[in-house]
Amino acid sequence: QLQLVESGGGLVQPGGSLRLSCTVSGGTLEHYSIGWVRQAPGKEREVVSCIDTTAESTYYTDSVKGRFTISRDNAKNTVWLQMTSLKPEDTAVYSCAEVGGTVVESRCGSWTTNLGPGTQVTVPS
């Protein structure tokens, strides 16, 4: 089974940047669409961004459009989430996940599964 592990989280001031990494093992990344999801305390899990197997299609939730960029390198078994202009409301645990279904600009497939343990991103107010 595919195993996903996130890294790169931390404490950053408002307006700052972070780059999260999702390293995949136990399978071939090129066969999988991957998404980033986040969950803040007391809030529902939210799909932030997704990328299809060839990086031709990406999805972003409205609140991060223009600030976050998802990318992948199948040869390195890694998916990244570059986050800029960070805001306090971006504070959450960020996890990467397998995406089932088709990633298009308006939708991140049909479901997410097999989430990694997550990495904490904190943007103080």
Side-chain angles (χ1 to χ4, degrees), residues 77-116:
N77 283 331
T78 304
V79 176
W80 295 277
L81 185 69
Q82 178 69 49
M83 306 187 295
T84 64
S85 301
L86 282 161
K87 304 175 181 180
E89 50 263 45
D90 294 318
T91 295
V93 174
Y94 285 71
S95 302
C96 54
E98 293 179 40
V99 173
T102 303
V103 175
V104 295
E105 186 177 354
S106 60
R107 188 181 74 249
C108 174
S110 300
W111 70 88
T112 54
T113 188
N114 194 21
L115 272 67

Side-chain angles (χ1 to χ4, degrees), residues 20-59:
L20 305 183
S21 298
C22 173
T23 303
V24 171
S25 61
T28 305
L29 179 62
E30 66 181 355
H31 297 157
Y32 297 88
S33 295
I34 299 293
W36 285 95
V37 301
R38 67 185 178 186
Q39 187 160 22
K43 294 189 177 181
E44 297 270 329
R45 183 181 296 163
E46 175 185 30
V47 176
V48 175
S49 180
C50 300
I51 188 166
D52 74 352
T53 56
T54 61
E56 289 184 6
S57 291
T58 57
Y59 163 86

